[in-house]
Amino acid sequence: GDAATEDTEVSLMMSWALLNVRRYDDMPRWTSAALAAATSDVERAMCRLETAVVQAHVARHRGDAGRSLSHARTGHAAAENALAELGDDRSERLVAVSATALVTLGVAAYWAGDLEQARGWLTDGVIDAQASREISSVIMGYCHLGLVEARSGEPELALAHADQALADVDESNERFHLPAAAHLARAIAFTDLGRPADAELALGEAQRVCDLSDEPLLAASIAVQRAQLCYAVGNRVDAREALRDAKQLVADLPDHRLDDLIRETENAIRFAPKPESNGTLVEGLTDREQAVLALLPHDLSRRELASQLHLSENTVKTHLTSIRHKIGVSGRESIVDRARELGLLVEE
């Protein structure tokens, strides 16, 4: 009833509930009511903090990665200020929600394309969330740590984080926790490890859980990974179709930040290696090495390569060194020519 709007805690809980059922237009009434009902510094701090965090999630759900990051920064700053100013007057709930704010900031950084910042914030946020027993934030943090490591070319670490996230999730609560990101991280990792059957199962789970919600960034990322998996097993027709699905999903989003990932996949398909080369490698190229090789004809700098592939420059350097060794060249200038001689590059 009307009395609910006069209680800060009830109003904040209603805001979270509306977020989870995707009734975004009803939320402003309750966030405003929470602040109006606040009678203490702690309550006012909680209102500023939780409102920003909720808005960060709404922006991500709507496919606006930039706005999500902006709101998440505001929430984290509010948490830091409140913890510093209130000192011994801080509540356990304020400490717990501050951990949630840090995880939310890491999640937003991942979708904004900053893997290094995301890794740091998520790692710290998960530790704080575990200490505060904020299980939902622990799950979300590990889900996205899995994605960070998967996109960074660390499949084993990605699997460890994803499995940690899924340890607290079952069919009775997955609609609330939505661990699609963890399943997606597993799909990416298994694809990179050359385990397509496992990748297919993980991708199916990611799609199933994603269908329970309305998160276009996740849906588009799953479609891109579907394209990458199809390409990895030599099915270029389905790979192109999945990539078209991904493009359609992001076409009307305000700020999706997935262009580089889509372009990387598109280039990999366009410059696909031949099924059989006319030379002999020291050992076969990994999927990540093939992705780096596919971009080399475009004469990109190492920084540009790293940006395209969502990797660090050091990781790209490592892949280039490995490619040189495997195809038997001593400098980057001759990698493309040698790869063409071996039939490893086919430019459509």
Side-chain angles (χ1 to χ4, degrees):
D2 293 338
T5 61
E6 300 172 6
D7 186 291
T8 296
E9 183 73 6
V10 171
S11 296
L12 288 175
M13 289 300 98
M14 181 62 85
S15 300
W16 283 103
L18 291 169
L19 169 71
N20 288 326
V21 296
R22 297 341 192 227
R23 285 171 53 184
Y24 308 127
D25 292 339
D26 295 333
M27 289 171 55
R29 172 197 175 196
W30 293 97
T31 53
S32 297
L35 185 57
T39 58
S40 68
D41 290 341
V42 171
E43 286 187 337
R44 282 186 283 272
M46 288 295 297
C47 289
R48 290 191 293 271
L49 165 54
E50 294 201 47
T51 296
V53 171
V54 167
Q55 288 173 332
H57 288 302
V58 170
R60 190 184 79 255
H61 292 177
R62 287 176 163 166
D64 194 335
R67 189 177 294 274
S68 179
L69 183 59
S70 177
H71 285 306
R73 288 184 185 278
T74 298
H76 181 243
E80 293 285 283
N81 292 337
L83 291 174
E85 292 173 3
L86 295 172
D88 293 337
D89 292 332
R90 67 181 66 173
S91 66
E92 288 186 10
R93 178 164 171 73
L94 178 59
V95 174
V97 180
S98 296
T100 295
L102 189 52
V103 170
T104 302
L105 181 56
V107 171
Y110 169 79
W111 290 108
D114 192 337
L115 299 186
E116 290 301 321
Q117 286 275 41
R119 180 185 287 110
W121 286 327
L122 288 168
T123 300
D124 292 342
V126 164
I127 292 172
D128 291 349
Q130 286 174 323
S132 300
R133 299 182 296 280
E134 281 290 300
I135 300 303
S136 294
S137 295
V138 171
I139 293 171
M140 177 169 282
Y142 275 122
C143 281
H144 285 80
L145 276 172
L147 282 177
V148 167
E149 299 304 345
R151 295 297 184 201
S152 299
E154 299 290 345
E156 298 290 354
L157 195 52
L159 289 173
H161 287 318
D163 289 345
Q164 186 70 41
L166 295 172
D168 292 314
V169 178
D170 57 37
E171 289 186 3
S172 69
N173 61 21
E174 65 181 358
R175 187 178 184 88
F176 175 73
H177 294 303
L178 293 175
H183 292 300
L184 175 57
R186 285 168 53 81
I188 297 168
F190 285 136
T191 300
D192 286 353
L193 291 170
R195 295 167 58 181
D198 291 329
E200 179 67 32
L201 289 174
L203 203 57
E205 284 296 283
Q207 188 66 65
R208 181 183 64 79
V209 179
C210 186
D211 288 343
L212 298 175
S213 67
D214 180 20
E215 292 195 32
L217 294 179
L218 258 176
S221 296
I222 290 170
V224 171
Q225 188 56 33
R226 171 72 62 187
Q228 293 185 355
L229 177 58
C230 289
Y231 160 70
V233 298
N235 188 344
R236 295 168 67 184
V237 173
D238 286 350
R240 290 192 182 95
E241 182 178 351
L243 202 56
R244 284 193 293 270
D245 291 342
K247 290 180 177 180
Q248 185 174 358
L249 284 165
V250 302
D252 296 324
L253 299 185
D255 185 13
H256 58 81
R257 308 287 179 96
L258 292 175
D259 283 334
D260 288 346
L261 181 60
I262 290 173
R263 189 178 301 112
E264 168 201 342
T265 306
E266 198 166 35
N267 285 336
I269 296 170
R270 181 178 297 124
F271 296 100
K274 290 180 179 178
E276 297 180 4
S277 79
N278 54 19
T280 302
L281 303 184
V282 175
E283 61 180 292
L285 300 181
T286 66
D287 289 344
R288 285 294 181 187
E289 289 165 356
Q290 289 177 354
V292 172
L293 179 61
L295 293 180
L296 294 186
H298 298 286
D299 197 29
L300 302 176
S301 67
R302 195 158 68 203
R303 175 174 294 180
E304 290 170 329
L305 287 170
S307 175
Q308 289 272 3
L309 298 170
H310 289 264
L311 303 174
S312 69
E313 289 188 53
N314 284 336
T315 300
V316 170
K317 180 180 178 181
T318 299
H319 287 324
L320 288 170
T321 300
S322 178
I323 293 170
R324 290 191 198 103
H325 171 71
K326 290 179 179 180
I327 68 176
V329 299
S330 58
R332 181 184 169 185
E333 294 302 320
S334 58
I335 288 179
V336 172
D337 290 340
R338 179 59 177 157
R340 285 174 177 147
E341 291 174 5
L342 293 172
L344 296 172
L345 278 174
V346 180
E347 299 165 72
E348 294 180 335

